[in-house]
Amino acid sequence: MALISHSAPPTSSLSRLRQVWQQGRVSQYLLLLACVAGVAGLFASRALVALSPLVGVAAALANPKAQLALVPWLRNKSAWGLALLYLLLVVSGLYTEDWPVWKHQIYRQLPLIGVPLAFALAVPLSAQQRYAVGCLFVAGASLVGGATVIRYLLNPLANNELIMMGQNTASVTGIFHIHFGLMLALAAYFGPLLSSSRYAGKVAQGLLILGAFRRP
């Protein structure tokens, strides 16, 4: 006589996915992906910076409780303030004389309107995830800054000539020098702050402090 198994059938992949979605983990992971892409894009690729808000919007749409978060978002003055900044860019089209540049700026900046939407409606990152994103930023600033210093030291005469001509030494990834300087300054503040986190071990604390002040 064949044995009949009374064990419950395994949960299907669709059921597991539905459970993960209902728990808000899909929205949270998408927001984490958007943050990682945004940080990586700041140091390496403008395309990633433009795409990361779109992933953030997907994170907001994936929130199973997005309707409950919608009313507070509509009352969030900070979110509306960020969104209205892009209204100025649109209004500038009424008096611009350089339409190609205006269209290019619209194309570049418009995806960023998803930032206030994503962070207000998506499932928030956990404290550990926020710590990881911060560490990624400090590490990126440290690596790009250190590589830029090494490139300068390998050919200081040529770089000094550029400086004498009023030009700035570009970073190894081609980041605009003003933006790069701001990111280095932020990393100098974020490093010590992150080193005091409960998620930072002794090695991580030392690396964060070292990375924060390893600037060109």
Side-chain angles (χ1 to χ4, degrees):
M1 182 177 179
L3 296 177
I4 300 176
S5 175
H6 297 283
S7 60
T11 306
S12 65
S13 300
L14 184 60
S15 298
R16 287 197 298 268
L17 181 60
R18 186 182 297 110
Q19 182 180 8
V20 170
W21 177 79
Q22 290 175 346
Q23 293 173 348
R25 291 163 60 187
V26 173
S27 175
Q28 189 181 61
Y29 290 152
L30 284 173
L31 183 59
L32 177 61
L33 178 62
C35 292
V36 171
V39 170
L42 288 174
F43 295 105
S45 172
R46 292 181 179 178
L48 286 177
V49 176
L51 290 175
S52 60
L54 302 180
V55 181
V57 172
L61 296 176
N63 184 359
K65 299 180 180 179
Q67 292 181 348
L68 298 177
L70 183 60
V71 174
W73 178 75
L74 293 175
R75 297 175 180 174
N76 190 326
K77 296 180 180 180
S78 298
W80 277 104
L82 289 174
L84 289 176
L85 288 176
Y86 298 97
L87 180 61
L88 297 176
L89 186 61
V90 176
V91 172
S92 66
L94 299 175
Y95 56 84
T96 184
E97 296 181 355
D98 195 341
W99 280 99
V101 173
W102 183 83
K103 291 179 180 178
H104 177 67
Q105 291 299 324
I106 287 288
Y107 173 77
R108 286 183 55 193
Q109 305 295 340
L110 197 57
L112 297 179
I113 199 172
V115 172
L117 175 66
F119 283 93
L121 295 183
V123 175
L125 299 180
S126 66
Q128 191 169 7
Q129 289 171 336
R130 294 195 299 270
Y131 168 77
V133 173
C135 289
L136 178 63
F137 181 86
V138 175
S142 176
L143 292 174
V144 176
T148 302
V149 170
I150 292 174
R151 189 179 68 173
Y152 172 82
L153 294 176
L154 291 176
N155 195 0
L157 294 178
N159 286 282
N160 288 336
E161 289 180 0
L162 289 175
I163 295 174
M164 293 177 63
M165 295 172 59
Q167 300 182 20
N168 293 279
T169 303
S171 68
V172 292
T173 55
I175 308 171
F176 185 50
H177 66 278
I178 295 179
H179 297 164
F180 187 43
L182 289 173
M183 289 188 288
L184 290 175
L186 288 173
Y189 285 102
F190 289 163
L193 181 63
L194 291 169
S195 67
S196 62
S197 171
R198 67 177 185 271
Y199 301 109
K202 292 183 178 180
V203 175
Q205 289 176 351
L207 291 176
L208 285 168
I209 296 295
L210 178 63
F213 295 101
R214 186 183 177 184
R215 298 183 294 170

